[in-house]
Every structure is written in C-alpha cells, then in structure tokens.
C-alpha cells in the first residue's frame, strides 16, 4: 500500500534530518520539490469520487482523465557535468574551511541521470493508490489494457512514472501491483511544446521575452545573493549566475535524493526565496502565461482529452466498452502550459523584475503548483439519461477540487466546459501557430 511506503520513507527522512524539509518551509525549490513534501497526507475515502449531486440528481463517475507531470527524478546529464566543475571551482578559489563537506562530496552516479528516483516511485504509488481508492467501484473487476490507457513521452521518466502510478492504482483496486500495460509514447499530444519552431524562436529563445528575467538576474536582489554566497564560501573570485543556480539545484536534489542538507547550508532561506522568484520568472515567460503563444500550443492536449471524454459519453450511452481511465504523463512544461490555457494560477499582476516584494504571496508559485507529480484529474459523471447534456465534469488539481475558471465551479455541465474552451478543443491550429511565418524580434 502506498501510504505504508510513504510512512516508511518519511520516517527515514525525518529521522535523519529532524523535519520533512530540514528546517526550510516546503514552498521552496521551485518545481524541483517533491509532491509528497508539498501535499502531505492526501487521501480519498473508498469511492469518495464516485458520485456527486447536481440539480437534485445523483451523478455517477464514468471516466477518469488524468494529465500529470513525471515523479521526482535525478538531475539531468548537463547538471551532472556541471556539479563536479562547480565543486572544483569552489575548492580552487577557497580553502574549503567554511564547508568541509566539499572536500569529500561525491557526485551522483551518472547512470542515474534524469531517471526517476526512489522518492519519485513512492510519489506515483501514492497518487495511484489515492485515485484508485476514490474511484474504486469504477475500476473494480474492469482493469485491462482495453479499459486503461497509459501514455508518456520519449523521455523515459514520463513512462516510468506512468507505470509506477499504475502499480499503485492496481494494487489498491485489485490487491496486486500490475505491469500488464506498457505506456505508449505520445509526444505530439503530451509534448506539444516540442518541434514547435515558433515556440522555440518566439518564446523560449527570445531575448525580448526574457527581458524581465535578465533584469532581475542583474538587479540588486539577485546580485546581492550572488555576492553573499561568494563571500560565505570564502572565494577569491565571483560565482556566476549559473554557479548559483547549480548550488540551488544541488540543495534541492540533495534533499530529495540523498537526504543531504550540506549544499543547503550554503544558502539562507532568504537566498532560496530570491532564487525561487528568479526561477518562477523564467517559467512564467517561457512555459506559462507570460507569453500568449504558450497556452495556445497546448491545444493538442485539449483535443485528446475531450475526444476521450466524447467517446466515453458515446460508448456509455450505447452500453459498450470504452476507456475508463485515460492517463497521460508529461513534464513541467506540459502542466504549466495546460494550466495557463485553463486560466489557473493567474495573479492580478504579471511577474516582473521590479515587483519581487509585492509578489511574495503570488499565486503563480511553481513550488506550490507544479511540483514533481503535479496533475489535473477530470472526472466525467453521468446524471441519468443519454446525450452529453446529461453529463458533468469535475476537476481536481493536485488532489483538490479546483474551480474550472471559465465555468466558475469545480463541477460544471460538460457541454458548458466544452463550449467555453472551444478555441482549444475545436479550433486547434497547432501547425499554423507553430510555424515561423515572419522574423521574430528579440
């Protein structure tokens, strides 16, 4: 059972360090934070999600549609290479007396680069267990490759996450962790941001679009952190922006992978908050609502989700078999672009280089919204009778009911949701909007 393993791993972590986040609040470390640290103790009672009431009618769950981010992972290959260079740079320009661990620190095994680590597997087992319990009667006795679809991307960590989620899910529903379904690769839908030239040129690599990020990096707050960390290390040369961000990454992954706080000792909580804002600025303008193109390119996901929901309605009305569970696992870009299209996590003001203090309590806070394992779950309910007008759609974001912005409730008429988001569902022009039709200034 996922909760048993959750308790075991949390006991180990807390016993080693004294607290789940080692004395640091769990809203730190951008989107590199564990789902379980950000959303502890989540659960659904058995069949809690099976029925809702709408306009005096009892409605029953008929399909589970899931869009999620992969689980906690080891750093990527580029970071592995940088880590050792950074350590050597620090030792070459200081005597190392301030932080003796640097002399004996061992890098992560290169073979683990980018792969799901143990905490990530526990995260996925936990989430599978949670939704399996909440939708127990929908799936009991009905789990098979014809009723559940698992999909990921070329990146192995997404498909590993799908398989681990399925293990936790089937353990809860059947009593055995199953591996009979192999996740398919579906980059065009889940990785809609890939192979999109206009996104690459106009958003991700557009200097003008990243102006606020660069202004903040070169401003007094971020440069102050850079100077303080350099002094704290006793170095006779200045750290670069990339050096500082790698220390931040080493701190966050050290917590998640090794239960090791050593690199975090170099940073104060205030340092981490400022670096976190820098990270949020980057994501805001490259994978979320900071650029109008980013929500638009998520439309292949919308088409896929609602095609699945439409088919479930059609087949349920005809009393024929269909996908009861349609589960997709992608990356942080998948989630943030989809959030942006939905209209979630929008602040009253845009994030800018000059409003750090004003936006400390911002809604767009990656460590609160887009952790490892972040997800959106749509549950489709039939309220009696046939035809799409007799169906409701309820949305959960990271395990909690969340208002669907354009319909104003967490549970809405299916046709109303489909109508309000028609630009993404019915009028997806991904190839057109991804084509570079004119030079991009920036």
């Amino acid at each position: 059972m996922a909760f048993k393993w959750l308790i075991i791993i949390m006991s180990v972590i807390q016993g080693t360090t004294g607290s789940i986040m080692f004395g640091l609040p769990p809203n730190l470390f951008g989107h590199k934070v564990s789902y379980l640290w950000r959303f502890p103790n989540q659960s659904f009672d058995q069949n809690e999600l099976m029925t809702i009431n709408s306009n005096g009618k009892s409605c029953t769950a008929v399909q589970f549609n899931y869009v999620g981010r992969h689980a906690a992972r080891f750093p990527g290959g580029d970071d592995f290479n940088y880590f050792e260079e950074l350590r050597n740079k620090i030792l070459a320009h200081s005597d190392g007396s301030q932080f003796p661990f640097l002399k004996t620190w061992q890098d992560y095994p290169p073979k683990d680069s980018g792969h799901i680590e143990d905490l990530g597997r526990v995260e996925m087992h936990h989430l599978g267990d949670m939704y399996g319990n909440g939708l127990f009667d929908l799936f009991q006795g009905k789990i098979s490759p014809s009723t559940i679809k698992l999909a990921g991307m070329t990146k192995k960590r997404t498909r590993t996450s799908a398989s681990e989620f399925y293990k936790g899910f089937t353990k809860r529903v059947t009593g055995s962790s199953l591996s009979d379904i192999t996740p398919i690769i579906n980059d065009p839908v889940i990785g809609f941001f890939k192979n999109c030239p206009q996104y690459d040129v106009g958003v991700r690599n557009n200097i003008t679009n990243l102006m606020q990020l660069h202004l903040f990096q070169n401003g007094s707050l971020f440069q102050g952190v850079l100077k303080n960390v350099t002094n704290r290390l006793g170095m006779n040369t200045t750290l670069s922006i990339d050096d500082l961000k790698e220390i931040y990454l080493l701190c966050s992954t050290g917590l998640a992978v090794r239960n090791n706080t050593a690199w975090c000792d170099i940073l104060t909580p205030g340092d981490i908050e400022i670096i976190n804002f820098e990270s949020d600025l980057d994501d805001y303008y490259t994978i979320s609502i900071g650029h109008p193109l980013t929500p638009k390119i998520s439309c292949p996901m919308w088409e896929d989700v609602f095609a699945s929901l439409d088919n479930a309605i059609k087949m349920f009305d005809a009393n024929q078999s269909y996908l009861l569970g349609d589960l997709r696992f992608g990356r942080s870009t998948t989630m943030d672009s989809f959030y942006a299209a939905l209209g979630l996590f929008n602040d009253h003001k845009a994030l800018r280089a000059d409003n750090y203090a004003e936006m400390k309590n911002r809604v767009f806070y990656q460590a609160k919204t887009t952790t490892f394992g972040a997800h959106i779950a749509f549950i489709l309910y039939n309220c009696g009778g046939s035809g799409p007008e007799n169906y409701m759609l309820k949305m959960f974001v990271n395990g909690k009911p969340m208002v669907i912005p354009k319909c104003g409730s967490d549970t809405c008429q299916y046709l109303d949701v489909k109508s309000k988001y028609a630009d993404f569902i019915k009028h997806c022009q991904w190839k057109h909007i991804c084509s570079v039709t004119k030079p991009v200034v920036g």
Side-chain angles (χ1 to χ4, degrees):
M1 179 177 174
F3 284 117
K4 178 180 179 181
W5 288 107
L6 174 61
I7 292 169
I8 290 172
I9 197 167
M10 291 304 187
S11 298
V12 171
I13 292 172
Q14 291 180 326
T16 303
T17 64
S19 74
I20 200 168
M21 282 300 288
F22 312 97
L24 300 175
N27 60 340
L28 302 178
F29 308 119
H31 57 227
K32 299 296 185 185
V33 71
S34 165
Y35 186 90
L36 296 175
W37 289 339
R38 177 61 195 144
F39 303 106
N41 306 318
Q42 282 187 339
S43 65
F44 293 125
D45 292 336
Q46 190 171 95
N47 289 321
E48 181 179 340
L49 306 181
M50 279 301 298
T51 58
I52 59 170
N53 291 312
S54 175
N55 297 322
K57 294 182 179 179
S58 179
C59 310
T60 303
V62 297
Q63 196 196 42
F64 174 47
N65 238 282
Y66 187 94
V67 179
R69 184 189 177 195
H70 62 74
R73 65 170 176 88
F74 285 93
D78 291 343
D79 291 309
F80 273 80
N81 295 331
Y82 202 116
F83 289 162
E84 192 62 25
E85 293 177 13
L86 173 63
R87 173 179 172 272
N88 292 338
K89 177 178 179 178
I90 295 172
L91 291 177
H93 293 279
S94 71
D95 61 13
S97 60
Q98 290 86 347
F99 299 96
F101 81 90
L102 290 166
K103 295 182 178 179
T104 58
W105 184 77
Q106 297 294 312
D107 204 349
Y108 301 90
K111 65 180 178 62
D112 294 327
S113 172
H115 294 317
I116 298 301
E117 44 100 353
D118 287 345
L119 179 56
R121 296 176 190 277
V122 175
E123 287 173 345
M124 289 296 105
H125 291 179
H126 163 66
L127 287 170
D129 177 277
M130 187 169 84
Y131 282 101
N133 204 41
L135 293 166
F136 189 86
D137 281 355
L138 178 61
F139 290 93
Q140 189 184 34
K142 303 172 187 176
I143 288 180
S144 74
S146 64
T147 59
I148 294 182
K149 178 182 175 183
L150 301 176
M153 295 173 59
T154 303
K155 289 288 186 183
K156 185 178 178 180
R157 56 181 173 265
T158 62
R159 287 172 286 130
T160 301
S161 297
S163 295
E164 297 297 330
F165 182 101
Y166 182 63
K167 288 177 183 177
F169 190 88
T170 52
K171 175 69 173 179
R172 166 54 61 184
V173 176
T174 71
S176 300
S177 292
L178 302 180
S179 303
D180 58 324
I181 299 178
T182 300
I184 65 168
I185 294 174
N186 196 349
D187 282 359
V189 166
I190 305 172
F192 46 77
F193 46 88
K194 299 178 65 177
N195 301 315
C196 181
Q198 183 64 38
Y199 172 71
D200 293 337
V201 176
V203 181
R204 190 170 58 183
N205 300 321
N206 186 340
I207 296 174
T208 301
N209 186 51
L210 295 174
M211 179 179 64
Q212 294 299 323
L213 171 66
H214 294 149
L215 285 172
F216 188 75
Q217 288 175 337
N218 290 289
S220 59
L221 279 174
F222 197 81
Q223 288 296 311
V225 173
L226 198 56
K227 180 179 179 181
N228 291 339
V229 173
T230 299
N231 292 338
R232 212 170 288 142
L233 286 164
M235 296 181 65
N236 58 20
T237 188
T238 303
L239 291 169
S240 69
I241 290 173
D242 287 340
D243 291 338
L244 182 60
K245 293 174 72 171
E246 289 299 322
I247 292 173
Y248 170 84
L249 179 59
L250 279 162
C251 172
S252 62
T253 56
L255 291 171
V257 179
R258 289 190 169 186
N259 307 331
N260 184 345
T261 65
W263 285 95
C264 297
D265 294 337
I266 299 173
L267 303 172
T268 68
D271 293 337
I272 295 172
E273 285 281 10
I274 290 171
I275 302 170
N276 202 49
F277 186 77
E278 184 267 357
S279 178
D280 282 357
L281 270 174
D282 191 351
D283 290 343
Y284 184 85
Y285 287 100
T286 58
I287 62 176
S288 189
I289 56 177
H291 194 287
L293 179 68
T294 311
K296 293 179 182 178
I297 63 172
S298 71
C299 63
M301 178 72 79
W302 287 87
E303 285 186 320
D304 191 66
V305 168
F306 279 82
S308 180
L309 291 165
D310 281 345
N311 187 66
I313 291 172
K314 176 183 177 181
M315 303 307 280
F316 183 83
D317 286 350
N319 197 29
Q320 296 181 25
S321 62
Y322 60 95
L323 281 180
L324 299 173
D326 202 343
L327 317 178
R328 308 161 192 82
F329 295 81
R331 299 167 62 184
S332 60
T333 310
T334 307
M335 298 311 303
D336 279 321
S337 299
F338 201 48
Y339 287 160
L342 271 162
L344 295 174
F345 308 122
N346 291 352
D347 289 285
H348 65 289
K349 290 185 178 181
L351 269 64
R352 301 192 313 271
D354 62 356
N355 65 0
Y356 166 75
E358 181 183 1
M359 303 301 286
K360 269 198 167 183
N361 295 319
R362 60 193 178 276
V363 177
F364 185 84
Y365 205 133
Q366 292 290 71
K368 299 179 180 180
T369 64
T370 319
T371 65
F372 289 124
H375 62 273
I376 295 173
F378 291 111
I379 302 177
L380 180 69
Y381 294 87
N382 174 259
C383 301
S386 60
E389 66 274 12
N390 291 297
Y391 287 80
M392 303 291 290
L393 194 66
K394 188 176 181 70
M395 183 174 77
F396 291 80
V397 179
N398 296 327
K400 298 178 180 179
M402 181 75 76
V403 170
I404 303 172
K406 288 190 177 183
C407 78
S409 174
D410 60 34
T411 307
C412 303
Q413 289 281 345
Y414 176 72
L415 287 177
D416 188 33
V417 179
K418 193 173 178 181
S419 173
K420 295 290 176 58
Y421 291 95
D423 284 347
F424 299 107
I425 301 166
K426 293 183 179 179
H427 310 299
C428 181
Q429 297 180 317
W430 187 88
K431 288 184 178 180
H432 174 71
I433 62 180
C434 281
S435 298
V436 178
T437 55
K438 60 183 179 179
V440 178
V441 179

